[in-house]
Amino acid sequence: MRWTACELHAHTLHSDGKMTLLELASAAAKLGFECVALTDHNTMSGLADKEAAERQAGIAILPGMEWTTFHGHMVTVGLAEYVDWREANTGNIHDGVSAVHARGGVAGLAHPFRIGSPACTGCYWEYEMEDWNDFDYIEAWSGTFAPIKTDNARAFSLWTDKLNEGYRLAATSGRDWHDAAETEEPISVTYLRLEDESRPIGEEAAEALRRGRVSVTIGPLVTLEAQTPAASYRIGDVIPVGERTVTARIGIDFSVRQGLWTLADPACRIRLSSNKGVLEESAVQATEGTQEARITVQTEGLSWMRAELWGIVRGVTTMIAFTNAIYFD
Amino acid sequence: MLIDIRANATPEDSRTHVRFPFKLDEPACAVGIHFEYSPKCLDDDSRARELLEQSFEKYVLPEQLALAKERLDRHLPLKNLITLSVDDPAGYRGACHRHDPVQSLWISEHDASPGLMKGKIAAGEWTITLSVHAVVTERCAYRLQVWAADEVEKGEQP
Ligand SMILES: [Zn+2]
Ligand SMILES: [Zn+2]
């Protein structure tokens, strides 16, 4: 088992990006990513250079494609082959998702609240949704310094609303990276928990997204486990009915991607959130290593819980990291 | 020339695909495609602001409307966007989703323009699809030319 630092949304000059695949992969490796998904608009032609770019940059490249349709942008990752995006209309997006799933891929809503037509046709999600469980994830954080952006706050609330409605849906970040230029702004990382490293990383990453084994951050890696005397559950797992109390263990690993992010203020707050609101909040200090908080949780009425890290970044109080949910049956 | 058309798209054509099928009677070395449209930008500033304000009503939360209007300029100028994808007799050969209003494209067994996939140029029914994402000007004139070619002609427009 390993948490892998991923960038899940990036473009090359095979669509409207400015980088070659090798430039993209090298830039991602320099930022401490172990894995980058190529999600060009409506084409997978850039993947022809995949093996060579992986070898030279020393990083894994996940096959993907962003369905750049008139009514929404849908990121797909892990597909073995192309699925046609041109038949999509407001009433049939679930057919497209089924076709993506049939080819081994996962599908998520890209930047669902970015301003739409005519500024950016399709950038705002306008599809009729029959069953949110059909989708694998929502890109809750898009762009750089993602947690302070209003569109992302809206996407994050959408995710929380869907969790509250009982859907089991992952949330990710994706830079929507087009440009080789360096930025001073904090960069989000989507950590995926890979269970079986003997399998191809593309399949494992898709599985992690499908199962919600996901933790997102602009700094330290936050993890969450729930323990009962009999078993332990991790992010994406479902705790069976009958467990009256569990011990939540929140881990905060400040040692990841050393030197590639900073917190100006070491004072942070760790929060355990749920469908019943905030279950507990406590102070932590940023260190060089790892910290752990243990919280006893009464499971009555709970359908999900997640950990969040809050603090001051660039003078703004903001969410720094969030885990995906552990669910209760 | 397999296709040589001049036509106009209007705002009503936004969010539609226009398909141009053509037939290759025998396998070719390559297919050349030239596509251009004009104008790219909506120069009428007050019209652009009007269109954006209409879209904000739809896409922005009421409590963020004032802020969005303050930052309206970041979306200017409004642009027309038409992109192109290619199908050969066996299936999809890729798309050129970019903002350039003039694109000279090439697809052959051994190489292809970014976005398109190299490979055999088989005989049969091919299709060029123009995806009209947005037309913000009163009309947008476009020209599409497609021809079969030898490798040596690369890049040359007949
Ligand atoms: Zn997009
Ligand atoms: Zn994108």
Side-chain angles (χ1 to χ4, degrees):
Chain A
M1 189 282 285
R2 187 165 67 95
W3 286 101
T4 306
C6 300
E7 169 56 68
L8 294 174
H9 188 156
H11 299 282
T12 65
L13 43 77
H14 282 262
S15 58
D16 58 350
K18 301 280 182 290
M19 301 175 272
T20 64
L21 186 58
L22 178 59
E23 286 164 349
L24 168 68
S26 306
K30 222 172 118 189
L31 291 170
F33 289 102
E34 297 158 83
C35 169
V36 59
L38 176 63
T39 56
D40 266 321
H41 300 287
N42 299 336
T43 186
M44 295 173 79
S45 61
L47 290 163
D49 306 324
K50 176 174 165 317
E51 275 79 27
E54 282 179 321
R55 245 191 336 269
Q56 284 190 60
I59 183 175
I61 296 168
L62 305 180
M65 190 177 100
E66 182 174 10
W67 278 42
T68 307
T69 76
F70 304 142
H71 316 287
H73 289 189
M74 180 168 84
V75 260
T76 63
V77 170
L79 309 104
E81 54 186 302
Y82 166 80
V83 181
D84 205 343
W85 57 282
R86 293 168 298 185
E87 298 304 319
N89 60 54
T90 47
N92 71 359
I93 193 62
H94 288 274
D95 297 342
V97 175
S98 302
V100 168
H101 286 163
R103 285 160 185 81
V106 290
L109 279 62
H111 50 69
F113 294 109
R114 194 182 298 173
I115 194 92
S117 187
C120 181
T121 299
C123 280
Y124 187 99
W125 190 265
E126 294 177 273
Y127 284 107
E128 290 159 26
M129 302 293 270
E130 278 157 33
D131 182 359
W132 285 84
N133 278 334
D134 252 13
F135 284 80
D136 299 286
Y137 62 99
I138 295 172
E139 203 177 74
W141 283 3
S142 172
T144 54
F145 208 171
I148 66 159
K149 306 230 161 110
T150 50
D151 293 0
N152 291 335
R154 222 174 146 187
F156 195 90
S157 304
L158 170 69
W159 176 52
T160 303
D161 290 346
K162 294 304 147 193
L163 294 180
N164 287 339
E165 288 165 27
Y167 295 104
R168 291 174 182 169
L169 195 63
T172 64
S173 66
R175 179 160 167 188
D176 202 355
W177 197 0
H178 282 79
D179 202 318
E182 287 181 20
T183 174
E184 289 290 302
E185 298 207 334
I187 287 166
S188 310
V189 181
T190 305
Y191 282 93
L192 300 181
R193 199 180 76 226
L194 308 185
E195 297 291 341
D196 181 357
E197 288 182 65
S198 65
R199 283 176 68 192
I201 188 169
E203 287 172 27
E204 270 296 285
E207 184 69 4
L209 287 163
R210 215 175 275 132
R211 303 254 173 252
R213 299 168 184 156
V214 180
S215 186
V216 177
T217 185
I218 54 170
L221 167 63
V222 179
T223 58
L224 175 65
E225 282 182 30
Q227 276 189 317
T228 66
S232 101
Y233 303 89
R234 291 188 288 204
I235 296 167
D237 289 347
V238 183
I239 299 176
V241 277
E243 298 291 356
R244 297 260 176 104
T245 62
V246 299
T247 304
R249 288 174 46 191
I250 302 171
I252 313 149
D253 185 350
F254 290 92
S255 73
V256 294
R257 293 175 64 252
Q258 291 227 328
L260 294 165
W261 55 271
T262 49
L263 296 177
D265 192 325
C268 299
R269 299 192 73 76
I270 193 80
R271 189 183 279 180
L272 187 63
S273 289
S274 76
N275 56 301
K276 288 167 72 181
V278 177
L279 298 174
E280 190 149 322
E281 185 170 320
S282 56
V284 288
Q285 289 282 316
T287 64
E288 310 268 280
T290 302
Q291 294 198 28
E292 192 184 81
R294 287 177 184 242
I295 299 157
T296 303
V297 174
Q298 308 298 324
T299 66
E300 172 87 53
L302 282 188
S303 58
W304 61 268
M305 64 177 180
R306 73 172 171 238
E308 300 164 10
L309 183 69
W310 290 73
I312 299 167
V313 179
R314 311 273 160 118
V316 192
T317 299
T318 182
M319 192 186 285
I320 295 168
F322 62 93
T323 70
N324 273 242
I326 292 179
Y327 303 98
F328 298 87
D329 224 348
Chain B
M1 202 63 94
L2 298 161
I3 295 175
D4 187 2
I5 61 112
R6 290 169 193 273
N8 284 299
T10 66
E12 287 67 47
D13 298 314
S14 295
R15 305 192 190 211
T16 62
H17 301 287
V18 194
R19 291 183 175 83
F20 296 96
F22 64 93
K23 211 172 167 101
L24 269 187
D25 291 328
E26 50 194 63
C29 283
V31 167
I33 303 165
H34 185 85
F35 173 56
E36 58 181 82
Y37 59 95
S38 173
K40 179 65 188 173
C41 295
L42 173 59
D43 293 327
D44 181 343
D45 190 64
S46 66
R47 176 65 183 150
R49 287 170 190 278
E50 190 185 332
L51 286 172
L52 273 172
E53 288 196 10
Q54 282 168 14
S55 90
F56 289 173
E57 301 288 338
K58 196 167 162 195
Y59 298 121
V60 177
L61 288 173
E63 60 267 31
Q64 268 141 24
L65 205 52
L67 183 67
K69 284 182 182 172
E70 230 170 79
R71 298 179 181 173
L72 180 146
D73 286 18
R74 63 164 71 176
H75 301 292
L76 295 176
L78 285 184
K79 296 186 184 83
N80 291 330
L81 178 64
I82 306 177
T83 63
L84 180 154
S85 54
V86 180
D87 290 84
D88 72 9
Y92 198 61
R93 287 296 283 267
C96 299
H97 187 98
R98 34 187 172 265
H99 299 273
D100 313 52
V102 180
Q103 297 187 32
S104 284
L105 307 168
W106 183 257
I107 181 165
S108 77
E109 185 168 352
H110 304 292
D111 86 275
S113 302
L116 302 177
M117 279 171 289
K118 66 183 179 185
K120 286 219 174 343
I121 305 298
E125 177 106 337
W126 287 63
T127 309
I128 305 290
T129 302
L130 298 185
S131 299
V132 183
H133 296 264
V135 174
V136 288
T137 54
E138 261 173 55
R139 54 180 215 128
C140 179
Y142 63 86
R143 182 167 199 194
L144 175 67
Q145 294 166 290
V146 180
W147 64 96
D150 293 325
E151 289 276 4
V152 290
E153 294 173 63
K154 180 172 181 177
E156 283 172 31
Q157 195 191 331

